[in-house]
Amino acid sequence: MTIDLAVIGGSGLYSFPGLENTTRHGVDTPFGKTSADVVIGDFAGKRVAFLARHGESHGVPPHRVNYRANLWALHSLGARTVIGVNAVGGIRDDMGPRAIVVPDQVIDYTHGRYTSFCDAEGAEVKHIDFSEPYTAALRRQLVDAAGQAGIAVIDGGCYGATQGPRLETRAEIARMKRDGCDLVGMTGMPEAALARELELAYACLALVANFAAGCGDEAEISIDEIFAHLKAATAEVPRILEALLKA
């Protein structure tokens, strides 16, 4: 099977708008069940696979996502290029609600997750080069595609991956800012590292839903506002990916 692009949807993106002639694929993996069936269809003249990271009803919290099964399933179906769409909080001043960012670095603060396919019994131990956690060429293509679609995106930034599902304290965000993080999310890792182990081209399209704790003017983060901002940013995703596929 030929798949031109695989998309992993985060919070707010549970199906792919505009995907036609779809088929659903439940994939048995050595690592258990995927978050949802993989939906494959036609979009912008190409074959696109979509997988809802949290399930199609947002029933899987970030620390319980079976990242290994999800990536393995997409790879086994023929995907070689993957875009991870991630809802995030903004730490840097210019990364406020509804901003779209294509990050270029990651700091991993998660714990207790299966972070490697090497964890499987008898698996080959791979020491991947993770100096650049996202595929540079694919990042550039995403940024260029957004420009062609007339959508402003921020090129570069450091994604700090936290455990979730709770949001972070002000002190935690202050530490992350000192560490050099520009964004905070809960699902960026180990997804990026697992993609690298499978030799997939992988990039992240980070949608800013809110300012992180202590970074905006609001004293308290409103969940209703988060999903309103997320809905607005998510609406731009199909246009960016259409331009990417047409390029």
Side-chain angles (χ1 to χ4, degrees), residues 193-236:
L194 293 168
R196 181 63 52 83
E197 286 190 1
L198 291 175
E199 300 181 357
L200 298 170
Y202 179 88
C204 169
L205 200 56
L207 313 180
V208 182
N210 59 283
F211 269 118
C215 295
D217 296 331
E218 298 297 327
E220 187 173 325
I221 296 173
S222 162
I223 299 300
D224 289 340
E225 287 184 2
I226 284 177
F227 279 97
H229 293 316
L230 198 51
K231 182 178 180 180
T234 299
E236 307 284 28

Side-chain angles (χ1 to χ4, degrees), residues 146-227:
Q148 291 164 12
I151 297 170
V153 299
I154 298 172
D155 181 4
C158 182
Y159 180 125
T162 58
Q163 183 70 356
R166 68 167 177 83
L167 299 179
E168 301 74 29
T169 67
R170 288 173 179 260
E172 287 169 332
I173 293 298
R175 179 188 67 163
M176 294 177 73
K177 189 172 184 177
R178 291 193 298 270
D179 287 349
C181 294
D182 302 302
L183 301 164
V184 55
M186 303 173 187
T187 55
M189 286 292 286
E191 193 170 278
L194 293 168
R196 181 63 52 83
E197 286 190 1
L198 291 175
E199 300 181 357
L200 298 170
Y202 179 88
C204 169
L205 200 56
L207 313 180
V208 182
N210 59 283
F211 269 118
C215 295
D217 296 331
E218 298 297 327
E220 187 173 325
I221 296 173
S222 162
I223 299 300
D224 289 340
E225 287 184 2
I226 284 177
F227 279 97

Side-chain angles (χ1 to χ4, degrees), residues 25 37-38 40 49 67 73 89 111 142 175 177 183 211 223 226 228:
H25 301 260
D37 287 346
V38 179
I40 299 177
Y67 296 94
H111 52 85
L142 258 185
R175 179 188 67 163
K177 189 172 184 177
L183 301 164
F211 269 118
I223 299 300
I226 284 177

Side-chain angles (χ1 to χ4, degrees), residues 35-187:
S35 298
D37 287 346
V38 179
V39 180
I40 299 177
D42 300 320
F43 179 76
K46 303 289 186 180
R47 294 293 284 169
V48 172
F50 178 82
L51 175 61
R53 187 186 288 113
H54 297 286
E56 293 174 351
S57 60
H58 199 91
V60 185
H63 65 299
R64 298 296 297 274
V65 171
N66 193 337
Y67 296 94
R68 294 191 301 178
N70 290 349
L71 270 298
W72 183 276
L74 293 173
H75 182 270
S76 70
L77 289 169
R80 296 297 178 266
T81 302
V82 179
I83 301 295
V85 181
N86 299 76
V88 299
I91 297 176
R92 209 167 81 188
D93 290 345
D94 60 338
M95 295 183 181
R98 307 194 182 192
I100 301 175
V101 186
V102 183
D104 61 345
Q105 278 297 326
V106 168
I107 298 177
D108 188 4
Y109 300 93
T110 66
H111 52 85
R113 303 183 182 189
Y114 288 108
T115 60
S116 172
F117 292 108
C118 302
D119 291 330
E121 187 68 29
E124 176 190 357
V125 177
K126 284 187 176 181
H127 299 284
I128 57 169
D129 178 7
F130 209 52
S131 312
E132 303 294 333
Y134 303 108
T135 304
L138 184 57
R139 282 192 64 261
R140 174 48 47 200
Q141 290 165 5
L142 258 185
V143 172
D144 290 346
Q148 291 164 12
I151 297 170
V153 299
I154 298 172
D155 181 4
C158 182
Y159 180 125
T162 58
Q163 183 70 356
R166 68 167 177 83
L167 299 179
E168 301 74 29
T169 67
R170 288 173 179 260
E172 287 169 332
I173 293 298
R175 179 188 67 163
M176 294 177 73
K177 189 172 184 177
R178 291 193 298 270
D179 287 349
C181 294
D182 302 302
L183 301 164
V184 55
M186 303 173 187
T187 55

